[in-house]
Amino acid sequence: ETMILTCTRKTIWRDMRVLKDEFNCPWEYDRSRHGFYLTDLHWDFAYPTDLSETQMMALLMGRRISENIFPEPLKGEICHAVDYLLNVANPDLVKCSFVSQMKLFSAQTGKVDEEIFDCVYRAWRDHVCLKITYRDYQGKVSEREIEPHALFFQNNNWYIHARALKSDAPRSFMIHRIQRAEILEKTFIPDPKIYE
């Protein structure tokens, strides 16, 4: 606050070019406002991070597990985030290349629909209710509104542990048996008695 900093237009322009060329800053010039603006308001300045070898290994192991058990689009989001962090940290990936040799075998009994998983995941994460169409193991189809309290992976399958809005008793739903999912505007407070 006590410093007076000055620089030339040339310096500012050079820094703007560095932001765009080296840090992929999505800026453009707006003639009507006579200034520069971000075309992507969610862009982050990617400054180098100092990750230890243990932290890099943890990121790579988590990415490898995510590739094998998470459905899209969550799998892609996790992998992209890890790749971004490792790229910014500029790690020596030669030492970590053995992670690709780690194998995980999954025997899921049902294929999870990407759009349904994304809907269920967002409802669980944001504590909003869901309207689902569910087919049970006997083939009976029912529709219900639920509060998704816990998301879990067990016996090679994804589940949502939830409470129906018209019932106090929680139950688990296999996500691959959900035929349709719709996020509702109703919110709920996560109940530790259910998610623990």
Side-chain angles (χ1 to χ4, degrees), residues 72-87:
E72 290 290 0
L74 187 57
K75 171 172 62 176
E77 291 172 5
I78 292 170
C79 291
H80 177 74
V82 170
D83 292 345
Y84 172 82
L85 286 171
L86 292 175
N87 185 46

Side-chain angles (χ1 to χ4, degrees), residues 14-194:
R14 187 178 63 240
D15 289 346
M16 294 284 287
R17 292 302 320 164
V18 168
L19 276 173
K20 182 163 252 186
D21 297 341
E22 294 183 26
F23 295 95
N24 299 315
C25 178
W27 61 258
E28 295 294 338
Y29 183 74
D30 185 346
R31 292 188 190 285
S32 64
R33 291 186 283 180
H34 304 292
F36 296 90
Y37 71 99
L38 288 173
T39 57
D40 178 4
L41 298 178
H42 301 290
W43 176 79
D44 275 332
F45 177 64
Y47 52 88
T49 59
D50 186 22
L51 295 176
S52 69
E53 190 172 326
T54 303
Q55 290 169 327
M56 285 189 287
M57 282 303 305
L59 283 169
L60 285 166
M61 298 283 277
R63 185 190 193 287
R64 188 72 177 149
I65 292 168
S66 297
E67 286 176 330
N68 285 272
I69 68 168
F70 282 108
E72 290 290 0
L74 187 57
K75 171 172 62 176
E77 291 172 5
I78 292 170
C79 291
H80 177 74
V82 170
D83 292 345
Y84 172 82
L85 286 171
L86 292 175
N87 185 46
V88 168
N90 195 20
D92 180 7
L93 291 178
V94 176
K95 289 190 283 186
C96 304
S97 62
F98 70 88
V99 172
S100 64
Q101 299 165 11
M102 184 174 80
K103 304 296 179 194
L104 293 109
F105 296 96
S106 175
Q108 291 183 339
T109 57
K111 182 163 176 19
V112 174
D113 181 275
E114 293 176 14
E115 288 182 18
I116 289 174
F117 184 85
D118 185 47
C119 189
V120 170
Y121 169 75
R122 286 185 291 116
W124 164 74
R125 179 194 66 193
D126 299 336
H127 312 306
V128 292
C129 296
L130 268 176
K131 182 177 183 181
I132 63 169
T133 303
Y134 189 75
R135 180 182 48 81
D136 66 17
Y137 69 97
Q138 295 174 328
K140 183 181 173 186
V141 177
S142 60
E143 201 171 84
R144 57 191 85 202
E145 293 182 1
I146 61 170
E147 299 172 344
H149 288 266
L151 180 69
F152 65 98
F153 187 74
Q154 180 180 355
N155 298 327
N156 293 311
N157 284 294
W158 282 100
Y159 294 81
I160 192 77
H161 196 55
R163 177 171 49 208
L165 296 186
K166 297 177 181 177
S167 170
D168 288 334
R171 66 169 282 197
S172 296
F173 298 93
M174 296 180 87
I175 295 179
H176 73 267
R177 291 188 181 276
I178 297 176
Q179 309 296 297
R180 188 172 171 277
E182 175 189 350
I183 291 179
L184 303 176
E185 292 184 8
K186 301 174 191 171
T187 60
F188 68 93
I189 297 172
D191 186 346
K193 292 177 183 174
I194 296 175

